[in-house]
């Protein structure tokens, strides 16, 4: 089935902020809705595994190799050619400097060669906008909880791509990072999310009372901290090993996972309630975690909040989410970026489009 | 034929449009800005300026030639990925060439030459070249390598080179007993001449692989640190 023709405008989205090279295609329909046409991703995750985390230079090298083939794959998937593309959107930040530079440079060349506008957009917003590809238009105001190896943030979002305010974020490790570190302590593979989730299914989430970071009465209400939790797990494991006890991996994984999911969902639901927002978008790589999504579903239902979670494939970094932001900003008539924009590793969430 | 030439392997961000006829490259328009921190910002705008100034459209261009390094990684990739995307969008071939070859091919000196550029971390990228052919191109005597300037002294013992070009020529030529000559950076004409044989014969380009000459800095982690050690480290 061809995506060609019809009155909509097609946006190519390019993502290279971390270890996934993404090229996605969406169509902005005349009624303002945005439809997913293609989503091609090449990942260098396996090359980072033995280092226990993303090595920026390895990621950048992989992006260069994968860029053109990934764009070609997306075009093939959508059954269109580059000549059908009406705009190019790219992650301008935040992310790894060298990695971002590859995507931004490629996007500029595609936009210049095709003679179409370029939108250098905010990666974090992509994790919110991607939900509209699956679950339709978002309400005018909503709350987003973004959880991944790189980010842990609560965002108040208006009009998907118009105004974004950070309500809270992690003051140390991202939630996904805590998963990776705990996996290493438990001698489970990298990335740590899936193996911990799997081990936790056999365990008792109340077996060990791990601390809930930043939940004291004087702590910042909507910020997160996972470094203390990771240390608590390390200490517990060390003591058990010193005492010559067999490690109850399933119980440790379940108790750790419970602590993460508990804090994340508790703060998200309280923020939504306090801000009067009735929709929560849960996105980012860790959104696929079974306990986090189950607890979010339960607590949102209790609080009368509509929970929206994109399918796992769209929750992790991809080009379609960036194309989606591009389509939404194009719909609002926002000025395109200049071809002289910089990649901005520390791009603030309040910046939707880079100029 | 019309050829776009790009290079970002040195602090110079270079874009040009070159007419390649009768084996002689001739620049129609070019932009070069020396700014080691703005490769990603400047390259595509410079290319558009070059096309506008020359009065040509991308659709008229027959090929892209890009400097594949060696060069500092982040900047180098800007040129490589820009070339790949341009080639894809315009449906034309992209020829990677050694950026050091591009410099060597524009040295007017008759003697064999050394080309050396900045590899940072107090090291240089270098290669040596024979005297020029009648077309002005030079055959490589030794392949691109990365070394400290001190090791370079040893490695050049017995080499016929009498002059040095490239951005670090002026800095190191005296120590090496060589005469420092131009150019300092790859030029569009030099890049196109480095791809001359392939452009003339229309052969399939080599894959677009950058010449890094160094492995990424990355170490596999040791066993997890103990909590006590970790607390002491804060
Ligand atoms: Zn992300």
């Amino acid at each position: 089935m061809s995506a060609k023709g019809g009155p909509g405008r097609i946006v190519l989205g390019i993502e290279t902020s971390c270890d996934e090279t993404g090229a996605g295609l969406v169509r902005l329909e005349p009624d303002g809705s945005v439809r997913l046409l293609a989503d091609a991703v090449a990942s260098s995750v396996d090359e980072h595994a033995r280092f226990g985390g993303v090595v920026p230079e390895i990621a950048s090298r992989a992006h260069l190799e994968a860029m053109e083939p990934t764009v070609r794959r997306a075009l093939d998937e959508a059954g269109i050619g580059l000549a059908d593309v009406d705009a190019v959107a790219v992650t301008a930040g935040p992310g790894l400097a060298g990695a971002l530079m590859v995507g931004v440079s490629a996007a500029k060349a595609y936009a210049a060669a095709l003679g179409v506008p370029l939108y250098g957009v905010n990666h974090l917003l992509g994790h919110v906008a991607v939900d509209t590809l699956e679950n339709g238009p978002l309400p005018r105001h909503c709350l987003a909880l973004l959880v991944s190896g790189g980010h842990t943030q609560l965002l108040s979002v208006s009009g998907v791509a118009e105004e974004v305010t950070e309500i809270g974020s992690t003051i140390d490790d991202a939630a996904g990072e805590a998963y990776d570190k705990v996996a290493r302590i438990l001698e489970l593979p990298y990335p740590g999310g899936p193996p911990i989730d799997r081990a936790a299914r056999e365990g008792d989430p109340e077996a060990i009372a791990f601390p809930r970071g930043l939940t004291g009465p004087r702590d910042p209400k909507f910020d997160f901290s996972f470094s203390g939790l990771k240390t608590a797990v390390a200490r517990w494991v060390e003591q058990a090993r010193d005492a010559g006890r067999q490690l109850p991996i399933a119980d440790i994984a379940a108790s750790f996972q419970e602590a993460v999911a508990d804090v994340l969902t508790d703060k998200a639901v309280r923020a939504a309630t306090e801000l009067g927002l009735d929709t929560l978008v849960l996105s980012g790589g860790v959104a696929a975690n079974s306990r986090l999504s189950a607890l979010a579903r339960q607590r949102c239902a209790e609080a009368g909040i509509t929970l929206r979670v994109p399918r796992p494939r769209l929750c992790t970094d991809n080009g379609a989410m960036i194309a989606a932001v591009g389509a939404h900003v194009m719909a609002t008539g926002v000025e395109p970026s200049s071809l002289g924009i910089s990649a901005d590793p520390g791009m603030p969430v309040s910046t939707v489009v880079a100029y | 034929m019309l050829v776009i030439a790009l290079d970002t392997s040195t602090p110079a961000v270079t874009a040009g449009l070159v007419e390649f006829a009768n084996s002689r490259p001739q620049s129609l328009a070019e932009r070069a800005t020396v700014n080691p921190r703005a490769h990603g910002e400047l390259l595509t705008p410079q290319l558009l300026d070059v096309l506008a100034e020359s009065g040509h459209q991308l659709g008229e261009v027959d090929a892209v030639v890009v400097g594949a390094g060696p060069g500092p990684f982040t900047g180098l990739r800007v040129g490589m990925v820009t070339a790949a995307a341009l080639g894809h969008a315009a449906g034309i071939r992209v020829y990677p060439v050694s950026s050091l070859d591009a410099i060597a091919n524009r040295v007017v000196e008759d003697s064999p030459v050394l080309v050396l550029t900045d590899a940072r971390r107090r090291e240089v990228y270098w290669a040596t070249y024979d005297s020029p052919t009648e077309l002005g191109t030079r055959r490589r005597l030794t392949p691109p390598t990365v070394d400290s300037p001190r090791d370079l002294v040893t490695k050049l013992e017995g080499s016929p080179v009498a002059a040095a070009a490239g951005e670090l020529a002026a800095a190191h030529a005296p120590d090496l007993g060589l005469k420092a000559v131009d150019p300092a950076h790859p030029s569009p004409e030099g890049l196109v001449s480095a791809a001359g044989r392939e452009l003339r014969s229309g052969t399939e380009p080599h894959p677009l692989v950058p010449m890094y000459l160094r492995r990424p800095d990355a170490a596999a982690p040791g066993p997890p640190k103990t909590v006590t050690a970790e607390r002491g480290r804060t």
Side-chain angles (χ1 to χ4, degrees):
Chain A
M1 191 183 72
S2 171
K4 232 184 298 213
R9 283 178 291 172
I10 293 179
V11 184
L12 166 66
I14 291 176
E15 152 65 30
T16 63
S17 67
C18 192
D19 60 346
E20 325 272 359
T21 312
L25 289 158
V26 305
R27 180 155 63 198
L28 172 63
E29 305 289 4
D31 65 2
S33 65
V34 182
R35 196 160 75 85
L36 175 66
L37 303 180
D39 160 34
V41 174
S43 178
S44 60
V45 63
D46 294 342
E47 295 175 60
H48 305 284
R50 72 193 179 93
F51 302 107
V54 175
V55 179
E57 177 58 23
I58 292 177
S60 300
R61 289 183 181 196
H63 286 311
L64 173 59
E65 262 175 59
M67 180 52 62
E68 187 193 336
T70 308
V71 172
R72 285 185 185 274
R73 208 143 48 77
L75 291 165
D76 288 350
E77 218 178 275
I80 63 170
L82 273 178
D84 301 308
V85 169
D86 299 294
V88 177
V90 63
T91 299
L96 302 169
L100 289 169
M101 190 88 92
V102 177
V104 170
S105 298
K108 286 180 179 184
Y110 278 117
L114 301 172
V116 301
L118 172 77
Y119 295 93
V121 304
N122 194 304
H123 173 85
L124 296 175
L125 226 47
H127 282 302
V128 185
V130 76
D131 184 65
T132 64
L133 298 178
E134 189 150 76
N135 299 316
L138 278 163
R140 176 89 198 128
H141 302 286
C142 65
L143 185 75
L145 173 61
L146 308 186
V147 209
S148 77
H151 11 275
T152 307
Q153 260 134 336
L154 272 173
L155 306 177
S156 149
V157 182
S158 299
V160 187
E162 285 166 42
E163 213 189 314
V164 187
T165 319
E166 186 175 282
I167 304 300
S169 72
T170 178
I171 60 164
D172 41 55
D173 295 348
E177 229 177 319
Y179 268 90
D180 293 340
K181 289 176 176 173
V182 167
R184 236 184 99 210
I185 294 166
L186 299 179
E187 292 169 350
L188 295 171
Y190 169 89
I196 289 183
D197 200 1
R198 226 171 294 126
R201 266 171 229 163
E202 314 293 319
D204 174 6
E206 286 166 18
I208 308 159
F210 286 130
R212 271 58 170 162
L214 293 189
T215 49
R218 292 215 196 112
D219 288 330
K221 255 193 301 187
F222 301 130
D223 283 339
F224 304 97
S225 165
F226 296 105
S227 159
L229 170 59
K230 172 211 68 187
T231 308
V233 175
R235 187 177 305 131
W236 199 95
V237 167
E238 226 173 273
Q239 281 165 0
R241 279 196 179 123
D242 286 350
R245 272 182 289 149
Q246 172 98 21
L247 280 189
I249 300 284
D251 283 349
I252 300 169
S255 301
F256 160 76
Q257 177 150 291
E258 190 65 20
V260 175
D262 180 24
V263 177
L264 286 170
T265 54
D266 179 60
K267 292 205 178 202
V269 166
R270 273 201 284 158
T273 310
E274 211 161 289
L275 297 168
L277 300 170
D278 62 6
T279 302
L280 173 68
V281 178
L282 172 62
S283 188
V286 180
N289 180 272
S290 67
R291 182 56 189 153
L292 176 61
S293 50
L295 195 54
R297 195 154 292 124
Q298 180 201 323
R299 288 184 173 171
C300 282
E302 285 164 9
I305 296 165
T306 306
L307 177 70
R308 301 183 31 150
V309 190
R311 83 185 89 126
R313 166 74 201 230
L314 293 178
C315 273
T316 50
D317 293 349
N318 63 80
M321 70 189 227
I322 302 308
V325 180
H328 285 290
V329 295
M330 202 157 76
T332 59
V334 166
E335 274 293 298
S337 305
S338 87
L339 291 175
I341 54 162
S342 305
D344 182 359
M347 191 171 184
V349 293
S350 53
T351 304
V352 177
V353 179
Y355 293 106
Chain B
M1 65 167 76
L2 282 177
V3 183
I4 285 174
L6 306 173
D7 191 279
T8 55
S9 67
T10 71
V13 185
T14 300
L17 185 67
V18 176
E19 171 79 60
F20 187 64
N22 308 318
S23 301
R24 291 277 178 186
Q26 196 199 340
S27 171
L28 301 179
E30 59 185 76
R31 292 280 185 284
T33 311
V34 177
N35 183 342
R37 310 194 62 82
H39 294 87
E41 287 79 356
L42 296 175
L43 187 62
T44 291
Q46 286 189 173
L47 175 65
L48 292 181
D49 285 351
V50 161
L51 288 170
E53 186 187 312
S54 67
H56 287 286
Q57 313 270 321
L58 183 61
E60 302 168 58
V61 175
D62 300 289
V64 179
V65 173
V66 62
F73 312 152
T74 301
L76 177 60
R77 279 188 286 264
V78 169
M80 301 287 295
V81 82
T82 299
L86 279 177
H88 179 196
I92 54 179
R93 286 175 167 176
V94 182
Y95 292 88
V97 297
S98 155
S99 301
L100 301 180
D101 290 5
I103 295 174
N105 284 349
R106 302 306 291 175
V107 176
V108 291
E109 206 70 13
D110 267 337
S111 67
V113 295
L114 162 74
V115 175
L116 70 171
T117 58
D118 194 351
R120 307 202 181 145
R121 304 185 199 171
R122 298 185 186 162
E123 289 189 317
V124 296
Y125 295 120
W126 66 280
T128 57
Y129 296 84
D130 209 346
S131 299
T133 64
E134 65 273 24
L135 286 175
T137 55
R138 289 170 186 267
R139 194 173 56 89
R140 247 185 247 154
L141 294 174
T142 58
T145 313
V146 61
D147 278 300
S148 71
R150 183 195 298 251
D151 289 344
L152 189 53
V153 175
T154 323
K155 293 200 173 178
L156 284 178
E157 270 169 27
S159 168
V161 297
E167 51 170 331
L168 292 182
H172 295 296
D175 292 345
L176 298 164
L178 303 174
K179 176 182 164 195
V181 295
D182 282 340
H185 306 292
S187 66
E189 289 171 343
L191 290 158
V192 170
S193 81
R197 199 180 324 153
E198 285 123 305
L199 287 169
R200 275 195 305 274
S201 63
T203 49
E204 194 71 31
H206 291 290
L208 271 178
V209 179
M211 227 179 284
Y212 289 120
L213 303 187
R214 279 184 186 141
R215 305 180 66 79
D217 279 334
K225 295 172 205 73
T226 64
V227 180
T228 358
E230 194 158 305
R231 267 186 303 176
R233 211 188 41 186
T234 56

